[in-house]
Amino acid sequence: MNKLPIALLIALVGLPQISETIYTPSLPSVAENLNASASWVEMTLSIYFLGFALGVLLWGTISDSIGRRLTMLIGLLIYIVSTFLCGSANSIESLLIWRFVQAFGISVGSVITQTIIRDIYSGDEKVKLFSIISAALAFSPAIGPLVGGFISEQLMWRGNFWFLTLLGTLLFAWTHYQLPETKPAKTLKNSIDYPL
């Protein structure tokens, strides 16, 4: 099997961190626009971790059943839809719900990317790749607020979610065209074939 583009792997594991923090600079405007208290708005950050944790628990099992590629695409699709709905939210309650779903969807990037790396790579090559991705990810927590602050100034807080929707859509297309199925053949025999 051909080796995967490292840039794609980095993007798949990096988008969850950027999605977590990108709109933190605009929290005050979220509170004002949705007529919500600061504590309720801050909950949109906390609930992200809950959705992410649920995804971490479930995506691996799902990928063992239907394959890595389809699982990744389903998770990204959930992310795209829920991120768009985050940007369309007219109440703090709906924003909380869609932030939870958003985190659940994008957690597929972290979980399945690591699984894919273990499927394809081994030994020193696997260690080296994990090191490269970890080094790249060290910068992603700072990227979110930096980009988010700029977008908020231009397009208000909803613009952050429109931007993430666009990123998610581009990543979905990239994944669709360049991510092969990597699940070992011995575990694929009991899986259902979902050609995409």
Side-chain angles (χ1 to χ4, degrees):
M1 179 181 293
N2 294 330
K3 303 305 182 182
L4 298 176
I6 295 178
L8 175 58
L9 302 179
I10 291 173
L12 286 168
V13 296
L15 188 56
Q17 291 187 339
I18 294 174
S19 299
E20 175 195 341
T21 60
I22 191 169
Y23 89 122
T24 52
S26 59
L27 290 180
S29 63
V30 175
E32 181 179 356
N33 184 249
L34 297 182
N35 193 27
S37 67
S39 60
W40 272 97
V41 173
E42 288 173 2
M43 282 183 62
T44 63
L45 301 176
S46 302
I47 204 165
Y48 186 92
F49 293 107
L50 294 178
F52 196 91
L54 179 62
V56 168
L57 289 174
L58 296 181
W59 286 125
T61 301
I62 294 172
S63 76
D64 286 340
S65 176
I66 66 174
R68 318 303 191 212
R69 182 173 185 271
L70 180 59
T71 300
M72 185 74 81
L73 291 173
I74 289 173
L76 289 174
L77 185 59
I78 291 172
Y79 171 78
I80 292 167
V81 173
S82 58
T83 301
F84 177 83
L85 292 171
C86 281
S88 305
N90 291 317
S91 69
I92 189 62
E93 292 82 6
S94 60
L95 181 57
L96 284 167
I97 290 170
W98 293 119
R99 275 286 281 178
F100 179 88
V101 179
Q102 179 197 38
F104 172 77
I106 200 55
S107 66
V108 75
S110 295
V111 176
I112 303 305
T113 300
Q114 293 183 57
T115 303
I116 287 171
I117 291 173
R118 292 187 180 97
D119 287 342
I120 298 178
Y121 301 90
S122 61
D124 292 341
E125 193 175 22
K126 179 171 67 175
V127 173
K128 181 180 178 181
L129 184 58
F130 272 120
S131 298
I132 293 172
I133 293 176
S134 297
L137 288 181
F139 296 97
S140 60
I143 293 174
L146 183 64
V147 174
F150 175 78
I151 294 175
S152 297
E153 288 182 4
Q154 308 300 318
L155 302 171
M156 306 299 290
W157 68 271
R158 296 182 190 275
N160 291 301
F161 291 110
W162 306 143
F163 176 71
L164 290 175
T165 300
L166 176 60
L167 282 185
T169 302
L170 293 174
L171 188 55
F172 180 92
W174 190 4
T175 300
H176 177 76
Y177 287 109
Q178 293 207 341
L179 184 70
E181 179 55 62
T182 64
K183 186 178 175 185
K186 64 180 180 180
T187 58
L188 275 172
K189 61 183 180 181
N190 295 323
S191 301
I192 303 173
D193 185 24
Y194 296 89
L196 284 175

